[in-house]
Amino acid sequence: MKLVYSLIYIALLGLLSHFIGQALPRSAFRAERFPYKAASWEKGGKVYEKLGIKHWKDILPDMSRIMPDMVKKKLTKENKERGMDTLIAETCVAECVHWALIILSLVILFWWRDGWAALFLIIYNLFGNLPFIIIQRYNRPRLVMLEQRRKRRAAKE
């Protein structure tokens, strides 16, 4: 029965995370501040290329493709002309939500104080969210650089 409760809990977390993520104020997320600012060891996202991110990032599910209320994660001509601040903020929100899912999944430990099932569920949830965090951390510095370049060009005009 604990397994059923654990699976229901993880499923509910996933469902609620969409609504909570949509409700979060984008103005509270700053790509240039901790924890969203790229660390020097990330080398502007280059470290993730060693993990082969270019090969697998586009095959993972993207909720913005199926949820009409979400900002589309594609870099479009309109984004480039208008600015990418919204898209950059979305990467921060997505990272925050996936970290929250990992942390909240630790509640399972209270149900499974012993045994391998708890460890399995937590590792499953960790590896189910980490790729999405990596994608945000890979994309954000590139988007920030593009936005800075756009702003410099606009200032010259």
Side-chain angles (χ1 to χ4, degrees), residues 76-86 147 150:
T76 63
K77 182 179 177 185
E78 184 180 310
N79 287 344
K80 289 179 184 177
E81 291 171 356
R82 243 184 343 144
M84 289 170 272
D85 291 332
T86 301
E147 181 60 7
R150 185 196 69 78

Side-chain angles (χ1 to χ4, degrees), residues 33-128:
R33 294 189 193 147
F34 179 83
Y36 307 107
K37 182 178 180 177
S40 60
W41 63 266
E42 291 176 289
K43 298 179 179 18
K46 296 275 187 220
V47 72
Y48 302 118
E49 290 176 9
K50 293 181 183 195
L51 298 174
I53 192 168
K54 288 183 177 183
H55 301 290
W56 53 261
K57 74 178 185 85
D58 291 328
I59 60 174
L60 291 179
D62 177 357
M63 290 298 290
S64 71
R65 292 182 195 151
I66 57 173
M67 301 299 279
D69 60 336
M70 293 182 74
V71 173
K72 302 298 178 224
K73 306 301 189 292
K74 291 290 180 190
L75 189 58
T76 63
K77 182 179 177 185
E78 184 180 310
N79 287 344
K80 289 179 184 177
E81 291 171 356
R82 243 184 343 144
M84 289 170 272
D85 291 332
T86 301
L87 203 50
I88 292 167
E90 288 299 314
T91 67
C92 296
V93 171
E95 182 178 343
C96 175
V97 167
H98 284 284
W99 276 118
L101 286 169
I102 289 171
I103 292 165
L104 292 172
S105 72
L106 296 176
V107 168
I108 293 170
L109 291 175
F110 293 110
W111 294 320
W112 300 80
R113 293 177 191 240
D114 57 347
W116 291 98
L119 183 62
F120 170 77
L121 287 168
I122 288 174
I123 289 172
Y124 173 79
N125 202 22
L126 181 69
F127 285 104

Side-chain angles (χ1 to χ4, degrees), residues 7 9 15 18 27 38 46 60 68-69 90 93 120 138 142:
L7 293 173
Y9 176 73
L15 184 62
H18 168 73
S27 60
K46 296 275 187 220
L60 291 179
D69 60 336
E90 288 299 314
V93 171
F120 170 77
Y138 173 71
R142 296 164 54 234

